[in-house]
PDB file of all heavy atoms in Angstrom:
ATOM      1  N   GLU A   1      -7.898  -7.420   1.486  1.00  0.00           N
ATOM      2  CA  GLU A   1      -6.465  -7.516   1.711  1.00  0.00           C
ATOM      3  C   GLU A   1      -5.675  -6.948   0.534  1.00  0.00           C
ATOM      4  O   GLU A   1      -6.190  -6.850  -0.584  1.00  0.00           O
ATOM      5  CB  GLU A   1      -6.053  -8.963   1.960  1.00  0.00           C
ATOM      6  CG  GLU A   1      -6.157  -9.876   0.761  1.00  0.00           C
ATOM      7  CD  GLU A   1      -5.523 -11.221   1.031  1.00  0.00           C
ATOM      8  OE1 GLU A   1      -4.426 -11.253   1.615  1.00  0.00           O
ATOM      9  OE2 GLU A   1      -6.136 -12.237   0.660  1.00  0.00           O
ATOM     10  N   PRO A   2      -4.448  -6.582   0.775  1.00  0.00           N
ATOM     11  CA  PRO A   2      -3.623  -6.053  -0.310  1.00  0.00           C
ATOM     12  C   PRO A   2      -3.178  -7.148  -1.261  1.00  0.00           C
ATOM     13  O   PRO A   2      -3.183  -8.335  -0.920  1.00  0.00           O
ATOM     14  CB  PRO A   2      -2.427  -5.444   0.434  1.00  0.00           C
ATOM     15  CG  PRO A   2      -2.337  -6.244   1.694  1.00  0.00           C
ATOM     16  CD  PRO A   2      -3.752  -6.564   2.073  1.00  0.00           C
ATOM     17  N   SER A   3      -2.783  -6.761  -2.440  1.00  0.00           N
ATOM     18  CA  SER A   3      -2.270  -7.712  -3.425  1.00  0.00           C
ATOM     19  C   SER A   3      -0.750  -7.802  -3.375  1.00  0.00           C
ATOM     20  O   SER A   3      -0.157  -8.715  -3.961  1.00  0.00           O
ATOM     21  CB  SER A   3      -2.708  -7.293  -4.829  1.00  0.00           C
ATOM     22  OG  SER A   3      -2.325  -5.954  -5.111  1.00  0.00           O
ATOM     23  N   SER A   4      -0.117  -6.878  -2.670  1.00  0.00           N
ATOM     24  CA  SER A   4       1.345  -6.881  -2.573  1.00  0.00           C
ATOM     25  C   SER A   4       1.766  -5.997  -1.411  1.00  0.00           C
ATOM     26  O   SER A   4       1.045  -5.074  -1.032  1.00  0.00           O
ATOM     27  CB  SER A   4       1.974  -6.352  -3.865  1.00  0.00           C
ATOM     28  OG  SER A   4       3.377  -6.188  -3.739  1.00  0.00           O
ATOM     29  N   MET A   5       2.946  -6.276  -0.847  1.00  0.00           N
ATOM     30  CA  MET A   5       3.530  -5.398   0.154  1.00  0.00           C
ATOM     31  C   MET A   5       4.408  -4.319  -0.475  1.00  0.00           C
ATOM     32  O   MET A   5       4.957  -3.465   0.223  1.00  0.00           O
ATOM     33  CB  MET A   5       4.364  -6.211   1.150  1.00  0.00           C
ATOM     34  CG  MET A   5       3.543  -6.993   2.155  1.00  0.00           C
ATOM     35  SD  MET A   5       2.589  -5.912   3.253  1.00  0.00           S
ATOM     36  CE  MET A   5       0.931  -6.303   2.718  1.00  0.00           C
ATOM     37  N   ASP A   6       4.543  -4.358  -1.782  1.00  0.00           N
ATOM     38  CA  ASP A   6       5.230  -3.286  -2.499  1.00  0.00           C
ATOM     39  C   ASP A   6       4.282  -2.091  -2.513  1.00  0.00           C
ATOM     40  O   ASP A   6       3.225  -2.139  -3.149  1.00  0.00           O
ATOM     41  CB  ASP A   6       5.546  -3.734  -3.917  1.00  0.00           C
ATOM     42  CG  ASP A   6       6.261  -2.675  -4.744  1.00  0.00           C
ATOM     43  OD1 ASP A   6       6.312  -1.503  -4.319  1.00  0.00           O
ATOM     44  OD2 ASP A   6       6.760  -3.018  -5.835  1.00  0.00           O
ATOM     45  N   PRO A   7       4.611  -1.012  -1.832  1.00  0.00           N
ATOM     46  CA  PRO A   7       3.665   0.105  -1.713  1.00  0.00           C
ATOM     47  C   PRO A   7       3.414   0.837  -3.017  1.00  0.00           C
ATOM     48  O   PRO A   7       2.464   1.616  -3.110  1.00  0.00           O
ATOM     49  CB  PRO A   7       4.345   1.017  -0.688  1.00  0.00           C
ATOM     50  CG  PRO A   7       5.800   0.761  -0.887  1.00  0.00           C
ATOM     51  CD  PRO A   7       5.899  -0.715  -1.173  1.00  0.00           C
ATOM     52  N   LEU A   8       4.261   0.619  -4.024  1.00  0.00           N
ATOM     53  CA  LEU A   8       4.087   1.287  -5.299  1.00  0.00           C
ATOM     54  C   LEU A   8       3.528   0.345  -6.362  1.00  0.00           C
ATOM     55  O   LEU A   8       3.524   0.690  -7.547  1.00  0.00           O
ATOM     56  CB  LEU A   8       5.414   1.899  -5.768  1.00  0.00           C
ATOM     57  CG  LEU A   8       5.989   2.980  -4.841  1.00  0.00           C
ATOM     58  CD1 LEU A   8       7.292   3.540  -5.400  1.00  0.00           C
ATOM     59  CD2 LEU A   8       4.981   4.105  -4.620  1.00  0.00           C
ATOM     60  N   PHE A   9       3.041  -0.844  -5.945  1.00  0.00           N
ATOM     61  CA  PHE A   9       2.483  -1.792  -6.907  1.00  0.00           C
ATOM     62  C   PHE A   9       1.100  -1.370  -7.373  1.00  0.00           C
ATOM     63  O   PHE A   9       0.768  -1.479  -8.549  1.00  0.00           O
ATOM     64  CB  PHE A   9       2.411  -3.190  -6.293  1.00  0.00           C
ATOM     65  CG  PHE A   9       1.741  -4.203  -7.184  1.00  0.00           C
ATOM     66  CD1 PHE A   9       2.357  -4.627  -8.349  1.00  0.00           C
ATOM     67  CD2 PHE A   9       0.487  -4.710  -6.874  1.00  0.00           C
ATOM     68  CE1 PHE A   9       1.736  -5.547  -9.200  1.00  0.00           C
ATOM     69  CE2 PHE A   9      -0.147  -5.621  -7.701  1.00  0.00           C
ATOM     70  CZ  PHE A   9       0.483  -6.054  -8.872  1.00  0.00           C
ATOM     71  N   SER A  10       0.278  -0.883  -6.459  1.00  0.00           N
ATOM     72  CA  SER A  10      -1.098  -0.555  -6.820  1.00  0.00           C
ATOM     73  C   SER A  10      -1.634   0.567  -5.950  1.00  0.00           C
ATOM     74  O   SER A  10      -1.448   0.559  -4.737  1.00  0.00           O
ATOM     75  CB  SER A  10      -1.995  -1.793  -6.664  1.00  0.00           C
ATOM     76  OG  SER A  10      -3.350  -1.469  -6.910  1.00  0.00           O
ATOM     77  N   ARG A  11      -2.328   1.498  -6.577  1.00  0.00           N
ATOM     78  CA  ARG A  11      -2.908   2.633  -5.859  1.00  0.00           C
ATOM     79  C   ARG A  11      -4.276   2.320  -5.276  1.00  0.00           C
ATOM     80  O   ARG A  11      -4.934   3.214  -4.755  1.00  0.00           O
ATOM     81  CB  ARG A  11      -3.034   3.830  -6.804  1.00  0.00           C
ATOM     82  CG  ARG A  11      -1.825   4.757  -6.790  1.00  0.00           C
ATOM     83  CD  ARG A  11      -2.122   6.020  -7.544  1.00  0.00           C
ATOM     84  NE  ARG A  11      -3.263   6.740  -6.983  1.00  0.00           N
ATOM     85  CZ  ARG A  11      -3.825   7.789  -7.558  1.00  0.00           C
ATOM     86  NH1 ARG A  11      -3.377   8.226  -8.718  1.00  0.00           N
ATOM     87  NH2 ARG A  11      -4.851   8.387  -6.979  1.00  0.00           N
ATOM     88  N   THR A  12      -4.724   1.065  -5.352  1.00  0.00           N
ATOM     89  CA  THR A  12      -6.020   0.709  -4.803  1.00  0.00           C
ATOM     90  C   THR A  12      -6.024   0.900  -3.295  1.00  0.00           C
ATOM     91  O   THR A  12      -5.005   0.772  -2.624  1.00  0.00           O
ATOM     92  CB  THR A  12      -6.376  -0.740  -5.148  1.00  0.00           C
ATOM     93  OG1 THR A  12      -5.265  -1.583  -4.823  1.00  0.00           O
ATOM     94  CG2 THR A  12      -6.685  -0.880  -6.632  1.00  0.00           C
ATOM     95  N   GLY A  13      -7.209   1.192  -2.748  1.00  0.00           N
ATOM     96  CA  GLY A  13      -7.321   1.518  -1.331  1.00  0.00           C
ATOM     97  C   GLY A  13      -6.865   0.406  -0.417  1.00  0.00           C
ATOM     98  O   GLY A  13      -6.256   0.662   0.627  1.00  0.00           O
ATOM     99  N   ASN A  14      -7.138  -0.855  -0.776  1.00  0.00           N
ATOM    100  CA  ASN A  14      -6.723  -1.970   0.077  1.00  0.00           C
ATOM    101  C   ASN A  14      -5.201  -2.049   0.174  1.00  0.00           C
ATOM    102  O   ASN A  14      -4.654  -2.370   1.237  1.00  0.00           O
ATOM    103  CB  ASN A  14      -7.312  -3.294  -0.427  1.00  0.00           C
ATOM    104  CG  ASN A  14      -7.088  -3.511  -1.917  1.00  0.00           C
ATOM    105  OD1 ASN A  14      -7.134  -2.567  -2.709  1.00  0.00           O
ATOM    106  ND2 ASN A  14      -6.866  -4.738  -2.319  1.00  0.00           N
ATOM    107  N   ASN A  15      -4.508  -1.750  -0.906  1.00  0.00           N
ATOM    108  CA  ASN A  15      -3.050  -1.729  -0.856  1.00  0.00           C
ATOM    109  C   ASN A  15      -2.533  -0.537  -0.063  1.00  0.00           C
ATOM    110  O   ASN A  15      -1.590  -0.662   0.725  1.00  0.00           O
ATOM    111  CB  ASN A  15      -2.470  -1.702  -2.269  1.00  0.00           C
ATOM    112  CG  ASN A  15      -2.438  -3.077  -2.911  1.00  0.00           C
ATOM    113  OD1 ASN A  15      -3.437  -3.792  -2.923  1.00  0.00           O
ATOM    114  ND2 ASN A  15      -1.303  -3.453  -3.440  1.00  0.00           N
ATOM    115  N   GLN A  16      -3.158   0.604  -0.260  1.00  0.00           N
ATOM    116  CA  GLN A  16      -2.651   1.804   0.399  1.00  0.00           C
ATOM    117  C   GLN A  16      -2.836   1.760   1.913  1.00  0.00           C
ATOM    118  O   GLN A  16      -1.965   2.236   2.648  1.00  0.00           O
ATOM    119  CB  GLN A  16      -3.324   3.042  -0.186  1.00  0.00           C
ATOM    120  CG  GLN A  16      -2.901   3.331  -1.614  1.00  0.00           C
ATOM    121  CD  GLN A  16      -3.198   4.756  -2.025  1.00  0.00           C
ATOM    122  OE1 GLN A  16      -2.651   5.702  -1.471  1.00  0.00           O
ATOM    123  NE2 GLN A  16      -4.077   4.907  -2.994  1.00  0.00           N
ATOM    124  N   GLN A  17      -3.958   1.195   2.393  1.00  0.00           N
ATOM    125  CA  GLN A  17      -4.154   1.209   3.835  1.00  0.00           C
ATOM    126  C   GLN A  17      -3.228   0.224   4.538  1.00  0.00           C
ATOM    127  O   GLN A  17      -2.962   0.370   5.722  1.00  0.00           O
ATOM    128  CB  GLN A  17      -5.608   0.972   4.209  1.00  0.00           C
ATOM    129  CG  GLN A  17      -6.148  -0.411   4.012  1.00  0.00           C
ATOM    130  CD  GLN A  17      -7.600  -0.491   4.504  1.00  0.00           C
ATOM    131  OE1 GLN A  17      -8.254   0.508   4.784  1.00  0.00           O
ATOM    132  NE2 GLN A  17      -8.102  -1.700   4.616  1.00  0.00           N
ATOM    133  N   ALA A  18      -2.698  -0.754   3.813  1.00  0.00           N
ATOM    134  CA  ALA A  18      -1.644  -1.603   4.369  1.00  0.00           C
ATOM    135  C   ALA A  18      -0.315  -0.858   4.336  1.00  0.00           C
ATOM    136  O   ALA A  18       0.428  -0.818   5.319  1.00  0.00           O
ATOM    137  CB  ALA A  18      -1.540  -2.918   3.594  1.00  0.00           C
ATOM    138  N   ALA A  19      -0.039  -0.218   3.194  1.00  0.00           N
ATOM    139  CA  ALA A  19       1.250   0.448   3.007  1.00  0.00           C
ATOM    140  C   ALA A  19       1.471   1.582   3.985  1.00  0.00           C
ATOM    141  O   ALA A  19       2.590   1.770   4.488  1.00  0.00           O
ATOM    142  CB  ALA A  19       1.356   0.974   1.578  1.00  0.00           C
ATOM    143  N   GLU A  20       0.434   2.359   4.287  1.00  0.00           N
ATOM    144  CA  GLU A  20       0.668   3.556   5.089  1.00  0.00           C
ATOM    145  C   GLU A  20       0.943   3.267   6.558  1.00  0.00           C
ATOM    146  O   GLU A  20       1.253   4.200   7.302  1.00  0.00           O
ATOM    147  CB  GLU A  20      -0.489   4.543   4.934  1.00  0.00           C
ATOM    148  CG  GLU A  20      -1.815   4.084   5.480  1.00  0.00           C
ATOM    149  CD  GLU A  20      -2.934   5.064   5.153  1.00  0.00           C
ATOM    150  OE1 GLU A  20      -2.720   5.937   4.285  1.00  0.00           O
ATOM    151  OE2 GLU A  20      -4.010   4.947   5.747  1.00  0.00           O
ATOM    152  N   ASN A  21       0.865   2.019   6.982  1.00  0.00           N
ATOM    153  CA  ASN A  21       1.360   1.658   8.310  1.00  0.00           C
ATOM    154  C   ASN A  21       2.873   1.588   8.334  1.00  0.00           C
ATOM    155  O   ASN A  21       3.503   1.801   9.374  1.00  0.00           O
ATOM    156  CB  ASN A  21       0.792   0.301   8.742  1.00  0.00           C
ATOM    157  CG  ASN A  21      -0.699   0.327   8.938  1.00  0.00           C
ATOM    158  OD1 ASN A  21      -1.218   1.136   9.692  1.00  0.00           O
ATOM    159  ND2 ASN A  21      -1.411  -0.553   8.241  1.00  0.00           N
ATOM    160  N   ILE A  22       3.466   1.274   7.188  1.00  0.00           N
ATOM    161  CA  ILE A  22       4.894   0.985   7.088  1.00  0.00           C
ATOM    162  C   ILE A  22       5.650   2.129   6.417  1.00  0.00           C
ATOM    163  O   ILE A  22       6.777   2.452   6.800  1.00  0.00           O
ATOM    164  CB  ILE A  22       5.118  -0.318   6.288  1.00  0.00           C
ATOM    165  CG1 ILE A  22       4.342  -1.467   6.938  1.00  0.00           C
ATOM    166  CG2 ILE A  22       6.601  -0.652   6.168  1.00  0.00           C
ATOM    167  CD1 ILE A  22       4.263  -2.716   6.075  1.00  0.00           C
ATOM    168  N   TYR A  23       5.032   2.727   5.434  1.00  0.00           N
ATOM    169  CA  TYR A  23       5.687   3.765   4.634  1.00  0.00           C
ATOM    170  C   TYR A  23       4.983   5.105   4.815  1.00  0.00           C
ATOM    171  O   TYR A  23       3.856   5.177   5.290  1.00  0.00           O
ATOM    172  CB  TYR A  23       5.647   3.387   3.148  1.00  0.00           C
ATOM    173  CG  TYR A  23       6.237   2.042   2.842  1.00  0.00           C
ATOM    174  CD1 TYR A  23       5.428   0.909   2.839  1.00  0.00           C
ATOM    175  CD2 TYR A  23       7.585   1.891   2.558  1.00  0.00           C
ATOM    176  CE1 TYR A  23       5.956  -0.347   2.563  1.00  0.00           C
ATOM    177  CE2 TYR A  23       8.122   0.650   2.286  1.00  0.00           C
ATOM    178  CZ  TYR A  23       7.296  -0.475   2.293  1.00  0.00           C
ATOM    179  OH  TYR A  23       7.831  -1.708   2.021  1.00  0.00           O
ATOM    180  N   GLU A  24       5.651   6.135   4.361  1.00  0.00           N
ATOM    181  CA  GLU A  24       5.048   7.463   4.414  1.00  0.00           C
ATOM    182  C   GLU A  24       5.236   8.174   3.092  1.00  0.00           C
ATOM    183  O   GLU A  24       5.985   7.729   2.214  1.00  0.00           O
ATOM    184  CB  GLU A  24       5.666   8.280   5.551  1.00  0.00           C
ATOM    185  CG  GLU A  24       5.362   7.700   6.925  1.00  0.00           C
ATOM    186  CD  GLU A  24       5.961   8.552   8.017  1.00  0.00           C
ATOM    187  OE1 GLU A  24       7.201   8.545   8.169  1.00  0.00           O
ATOM    188  OE2 GLU A  24       5.175   9.231   8.709  1.00  0.00           O
ATOM    189  N   ARG A  25       4.580   9.321   2.980  1.00  0.00           N
ATOM    190  CA  ARG A  25       4.644  10.130   1.772  1.00  0.00           C
ATOM    191  C   ARG A  25       5.174  11.525   2.122  1.00  0.00           C
ATOM    192  O   ARG A  25       5.286  11.863   3.292  1.00  0.00           O
ATOM    193  CB  ARG A  25       3.255  10.229   1.152  1.00  0.00           C
ATOM    194  CG  ARG A  25       2.636   8.866   0.836  1.00  0.00           C
ATOM    195  CD  ARG A  25       1.175   8.987   0.482  1.00  0.00           C
ATOM    196  NE  ARG A  25       0.393   9.462   1.618  1.00  0.00           N
ATOM    197  CZ  ARG A  25      -0.796  10.015   1.509  1.00  0.00           C
ATOM    198  NH1 ARG A  25      -1.332  10.207   0.328  1.00  0.00           N
ATOM    199  NH2 ARG A  25      -1.453  10.418   2.582  1.00  0.00           N
TER     200      ARG A  25
END
């Protein structure tokens, strides 16, 4: 699971795969 819903908090894969459902690059 991610450690935060802030997409710029951590570049770890678990955070990014949560973030990319909501945010884009």
Side-chain angles (χ1 to χ4, degrees):
E1 69 171 317
S3 55
S4 173
M5 285 296 113
D6 180 347
L8 298 181
F9 175 69
S10 176
R11 268 190 59 189
T12 49
N14 50 323
N15 279 50
Q16 291 199 64
Q17 72 177 12
E20 66 186 14
N21 294 305
I22 304 168
Y23 305 91
E24 295 181 288
R25 303 169 295 160

